[in-house]
Amino acid sequence: MTEENKLHWADEKEAIKSNKPLKFLLFLFKYFPKPFVRFWIFPVAFFFMRHNDRIKPESLLYQRNLREYTKNESPRVISPYRQIVSFCLCILEKMEGWLGLMKFNRVQYCDDDVKELIEQLKQGKGALLINSHIGNMELLRSLSEHNKELVGRDVPVLVIMEVNPNEQFTNTLKEVNPKFALNVVDSSNIGPDTICYLMEEIDKGALVIIAGDRTSAHARDKFIVHNFLGKPAPFPYGTFLIPFLMKCPVYYMFGLRKKMSLVNPVYKVYIEKSKIDFDCPRNKREEGINNLCLEFIEKLEKFCRMYPYQWYNFFNFWNMEPEKK
């Protein structure tokens, strides 16, 4: 394994080193037709692929592992370019959502456990959502103001995330929508007080979101190893410990683009409830954490198979010995 392949995801150089391109996108979204703006993702993606030494081989690694795991079923064509185009479109979608331009009728909720979650929210109770870097993680948060259409009230959405690694993108979103900073819980500072705060927010009816597919930048030796797409990979221990500390309902949430469309893209939101018992004795906690991680991997593999080009972890996901800076 080369030195570059040993890099932890948080040590990867931020793809967007200046917020000027992001601000330019915001300007285009405000004053030009949306299909015109989306058209530019194709040359931008090509430029990005040609001038970023890491993104193409990392995309190939993921797609080849997926294709081998699915016995050549998915993806049908190995294409880093298609994955990078999808990633660039996802960035536009995030901007669109935070500008308040994402229309509610472009989001379709699947007939899964969403009805149970909606009923829970109508009763004033919140939940913990585990999602991943497949699809648009910002979809639910950027649509939070539309929650009245589903549950009849504003539903606060708090996101547990690493703040520093994506500094340029984060700072730009703060400028676009000041609520962004208020809704973020820095995962590097989580302690007992944070857990109590999040439990209180869920009791008040909030949704708390955390990703299950990136190990911590601050606790790199705390991970769980399980097979993902047929090969051992590390998953963040903290993500799967938190539900057992909070003892609240847990759902998996995935927001994915139905198909590539420059005119009127439509998104599907999948919400599936965890079957794990979080109110277990302390001596059963480690077993529960392990089972929760396995349950998450099962969901993640399913959606990678269904939407192979919407995976946006552009690093060696199977690296379990990241080089520390």
Side-chain angles (χ1 to χ4, degrees), residues 75-134:
R76 292 185 178 180
V77 177
I78 298 288
S79 173
Y81 178 66
R82 288 184 65 175
Q83 190 176 348
I84 297 165
V85 166
S86 180
F87 172 63
C88 293
L89 184 56
C90 182
I91 292 176
L92 294 185
E93 292 164 355
K94 293 182 181 193
M95 290 293 178
E96 193 176 8
W98 278 110
L99 283 169
L101 300 174
M102 180 76 73
K103 302 301 181 183
F104 189 73
N105 59 10
R106 283 168 51 193
V107 179
Q108 298 177 355
Y109 285 85
C110 299
D111 187 18
D112 41 30
D113 293 327
V114 65
K115 293 178 182 177
E116 184 174 346
L117 177 59
I118 289 174
E119 187 58 34
Q120 190 170 312
L121 293 171
K122 284 181 177 179
Q123 294 174 8
K125 301 174 183 177
L128 176 68
L129 303 183
I130 300 178
N131 66 2
S132 75
H133 291 80
I134 182 171

Side-chain angles (χ1 to χ4, degrees), residues 109 112-114 117 251-254 269-273:
Y109 285 85
D112 41 30
D113 293 327
V114 65
L117 177 59
Y251 294 82
Y252 301 103
M253 190 280 282
F254 298 86
V269 175
Y270 298 85
I271 295 177
E272 301 181 9
K273 189 174 185 180

Side-chain angles (χ1 to χ4, degrees), residues 68-229:
E68 180 181 351
Y69 177 74
T70 61
K71 296 180 172 54
N72 299 328
E73 177 187 321
S74 179
R76 292 185 178 180
V77 177
I78 298 288
S79 173
Y81 178 66
R82 288 184 65 175
Q83 190 176 348
I84 297 165
V85 166
S86 180
F87 172 63
C88 293
L89 184 56
C90 182
I91 292 176
L92 294 185
E93 292 164 355
K94 293 182 181 193
M95 290 293 178
E96 193 176 8
W98 278 110
L99 283 169
L101 300 174
M102 180 76 73
K103 302 301 181 183
F104 189 73
N105 59 10
R106 283 168 51 193
V107 179
Q108 298 177 355
Y109 285 85
C110 299
D111 187 18
D112 41 30
D113 293 327
V114 65
K115 293 178 182 177
E116 184 174 346
L117 177 59
I118 289 174
E119 187 58 34
Q120 190 170 312
L121 293 171
K122 284 181 177 179
Q123 294 174 8
K125 301 174 183 177
L128 176 68
L129 303 183
I130 300 178
N131 66 2
S132 75
H133 291 80
I134 182 171
N136 189 348
M137 295 178 64
E138 305 287 336
L139 191 62
L140 183 63
R141 183 165 43 155
S142 63
L143 286 171
S144 60
E145 295 178 3
H146 293 290
N147 283 325
K148 286 184 179 179
E149 299 187 40
L150 287 175
V151 300
R153 68 177 176 90
D154 290 322
V155 178
V157 179
L158 298 100
V159 182
I160 303 172
M161 63 177 286
E162 302 273 358
V163 173
N164 291 331
N166 298 302
E167 187 176 5
Q168 290 292 347
F169 189 75
T170 300
N171 289 340
T172 304
L173 286 183
K174 286 179 184 178
E175 292 182 28
V176 174
N177 190 332
K179 291 182 180 179
F180 180 88
L182 297 175
N183 294 345
V184 172
V185 177
D186 191 347
S187 61
S188 64
N189 296 319
I190 287 185
D193 290 345
T194 314
I195 296 297
C196 291
Y197 163 71
L198 294 174
M199 291 173 66
E200 289 172 0
E201 291 300 307
I202 287 178
D203 287 341
K204 295 176 185 176
L207 292 173
V208 175
I209 304 177
I210 188 169
D213 61 345
R214 284 190 182 178
T215 55
S216 171
H218 302 277
R220 302 185 182 190
D221 57 341
K222 295 292 289 184
F223 56 80
I224 310 169
V225 178
H226 283 300
N227 277 2
F228 170 64
L229 302 183

Side-chain angles (χ1 to χ4, degrees), residues 20-49:
K20 289 182 180 179
L22 297 177
K23 287 187 173 181
F24 180 64
L25 282 177
L26 291 173
F27 171 80
L28 293 178
F29 258 126
K30 286 181 179 179
Y31 299 106
F32 288 85
K34 306 305 176 293
F36 170 81
V37 181
R38 294 191 188 99
F39 168 80
W40 286 98
I41 67 171
F42 295 101
V44 168
F46 181 77
F47 180 86
F48 192 30
M49 184 175 68

